[in-house]
mmCIF file of all heavy atoms in Angstrom:
data_model
loop_
_atom_site.group_PDB
_atom_site.id
_atom_site.type_symbol
_atom_site.label_atom_id
_atom_site.label_comp_id
_atom_site.label_asym_id
_atom_site.label_seq_id
_atom_site.Cartn_x
_atom_site.Cartn_y
_atom_site.Cartn_z
ATOM 1 N N MET A 1 -6.019 -4.205 -1.886
ATOM 2 C CA MET A 1 -4.710 -4.662 -1.441
ATOM 3 C C MET A 1 -3.966 -3.500 -0.799
ATOM 4 O O MET A 1 -3.967 -2.391 -1.318
ATOM 5 C CB MET A 1 -3.892 -5.173 -2.620
ATOM 6 C CG MET A 1 -4.449 -6.414 -3.268
ATOM 7 S SD MET A 1 -4.278 -7.843 -2.234
ATOM 8 C CE MET A 1 -2.795 -8.521 -2.860
ATOM 9 N N GLU A 20 2.242 -7.339 1.088
ATOM 10 C CA GLU A 20 1.056 -6.840 0.418
ATOM 11 C C GLU A 20 -0.069 -7.832 0.649
ATOM 12 O O GLU A 20 0.151 -9.042 0.622
ATOM 13 C CB GLU A 20 1.351 -6.701 -1.075
ATOM 14 C CG GLU A 20 0.341 -5.894 -1.830
ATOM 15 C CD GLU A 20 0.845 -5.578 -3.224
ATOM 16 O OE1 GLU A 20 0.952 -6.526 -4.026
ATOM 17 O OE2 GLU A 20 1.133 -4.395 -3.489
ATOM 18 N N GLY A 21 -1.252 -7.312 0.892
ATOM 19 C CA GLY A 21 -2.397 -8.188 1.081
ATOM 20 C C GLY A 21 -3.550 -7.464 1.729
ATOM 21 O O GLY A 21 -3.556 -6.242 1.851
ATOM 22 N N ARG A 22 -4.521 -8.260 2.147
ATOM 23 C CA ARG A 22 -5.676 -7.730 2.860
ATOM 24 C C ARG A 22 -6.159 -8.807 3.810
ATOM 25 O O ARG A 22 -5.885 -9.997 3.620
ATOM 26 C CB ARG A 22 -6.758 -7.263 1.904
ATOM 27 C CG ARG A 22 -7.352 -8.344 1.052
ATOM 28 C CD ARG A 22 -8.489 -7.762 0.186
ATOM 29 N NE ARG A 22 -8.924 -8.778 -0.737
ATOM 30 C CZ ARG A 22 -8.608 -8.811 -2.019
ATOM 31 N NH1 ARG A 22 -7.846 -7.875 -2.524
ATOM 32 N NH2 ARG A 22 -9.040 -9.779 -2.790
ATOM 33 N N PRO A 23 -6.901 -8.404 4.840
ATOM 34 C CA PRO A 23 -7.393 -9.393 5.807
ATOM 35 C C PRO A 23 -8.201 -10.492 5.111
ATOM 36 O O PRO A 23 -8.999 -10.211 4.216
ATOM 37 C CB PRO A 23 -8.284 -8.562 6.743
ATOM 38 C CG PRO A 23 -7.764 -7.170 6.625
ATOM 39 C CD PRO A 23 -7.307 -7.040 5.198
ATOM 40 N N GLY A 24 -7.921 -11.730 5.495
ATOM 41 C CA GLY A 24 -8.661 -12.864 4.957
ATOM 42 C C GLY A 24 -8.117 -13.418 3.662
ATOM 43 O O GLY A 24 -8.639 -14.400 3.137
ATOM 44 N N SER A 25 -7.075 -12.805 3.109
ATOM 45 C CA SER A 25 -6.469 -13.273 1.867
ATOM 46 C C SER A 25 -5.000 -13.585 2.100
ATOM 47 O O SER A 25 -4.386 -13.018 3.003
ATOM 48 C CB SER A 25 -6.575 -12.202 0.785
ATOM 49 O OG SER A 25 -7.921 -11.945 0.473
ATOM 50 N N PRO A 26 -4.437 -14.461 1.260
ATOM 51 C CA PRO A 26 -3.000 -14.738 1.407
ATOM 52 C C PRO A 26 -2.178 -13.467 1.214
ATOM 53 O O PRO A 26 -2.530 -12.598 0.414
ATOM 54 C CB PRO A 26 -2.719 -15.740 0.277
ATOM 55 C CG PRO A 26 -4.039 -16.358 -0.036
ATOM 56 C CD PRO A 26 -5.055 -15.278 0.217
ATOM 57 N N LEU A 27 -1.103 -13.382 1.954
ATOM 58 C CA LEU A 27 -0.197 -12.234 1.890
ATOM 59 C C LEU A 27 0.962 -12.548 0.949
ATOM 60 O O LEU A 27 1.309 -13.708 0.755
ATOM 61 C CB LEU A 27 0.351 -11.927 3.278
ATOM 62 C CG LEU A 27 -0.686 -11.562 4.335
ATOM 63 C CD1 LEU A 27 -0.075 -11.654 5.720
ATOM 64 C CD2 LEU A 27 -1.233 -10.180 4.074
ATOM 65 N N SER A 28 1.575 -11.489 0.420
ATOM 66 C CA SER A 28 2.737 -11.653 -0.453
ATOM 67 C C SER A 28 3.912 -10.862 0.091
ATOM 68 O O SER A 28 3.746 -9.717 0.524
ATOM 69 C CB SER A 28 2.427 -11.138 -1.858
ATOM 70 O OG SER A 28 1.362 -11.833 -2.432
ATOM 71 N N ARG A 133 4.664 -18.069 2.894
ATOM 72 C CA ARG A 133 5.016 -19.213 2.040
ATOM 73 C C ARG A 133 6.465 -19.112 1.541
ATOM 74 O O ARG A 133 6.747 -19.253 0.354
ATOM 75 C CB ARG A 133 4.028 -19.340 0.874
ATOM 76 C CG ARG A 133 2.601 -19.579 1.328
ATOM 77 C CD ARG A 133 1.546 -19.457 0.244
ATOM 78 N NE ARG A 133 1.573 -18.262 -0.584
ATOM 79 C CZ ARG A 133 1.165 -17.050 -0.210
ATOM 80 N NH1 ARG A 133 0.696 -16.856 1.003
ATOM 81 N NH2 ARG A 133 1.223 -16.029 -1.038
ATOM 82 N N VAL A 154 -1.442 -5.205 8.354
ATOM 83 C CA VAL A 154 -2.392 -5.537 7.292
ATOM 84 C C VAL A 154 -3.649 -6.124 7.918
ATOM 85 O O VAL A 154 -4.771 -5.744 7.562
ATOM 86 C CB VAL A 154 -1.791 -6.526 6.272
ATOM 87 C CG1 VAL A 154 -2.870 -7.111 5.369
ATOM 88 C CG2 VAL A 154 -0.717 -5.847 5.429
ATOM 89 N N TRP A 155 -3.466 -7.038 8.860
ATOM 90 C CA TRP A 155 -4.607 -7.715 9.479
ATOM 91 C C TRP A 155 -5.385 -6.820 10.422
ATOM 92 O O TRP A 155 -6.596 -6.869 10.468
ATOM 93 C CB TRP A 155 -4.141 -8.950 10.230
ATOM 94 C CG TRP A 155 -3.743 -10.067 9.327
ATOM 95 C CD1 TRP A 155 -3.922 -10.153 7.984
ATOM 96 C CD2 TRP A 155 -3.087 -11.271 9.705
ATOM 97 N NE1 TRP A 155 -3.425 -11.324 7.506
ATOM 98 C CE2 TRP A 155 -2.905 -12.040 8.533
ATOM 99 C CE3 TRP A 155 -2.632 -11.764 10.910
ATOM 100 C CZ2 TRP A 155 -2.296 -13.290 8.553
ATOM 101 C CZ3 TRP A 155 -2.028 -13.014 10.919
ATOM 102 C CH2 TRP A 155 -1.861 -13.776 9.754
#
Side-chain angles (χ1 to χ4, degrees):
M1 294 290 264
E20 194 169 68
R22 63 177 173 257
S25 296
L27 299 165
S28 300
R133 299 169 310 285
V154 167
W155 287 350

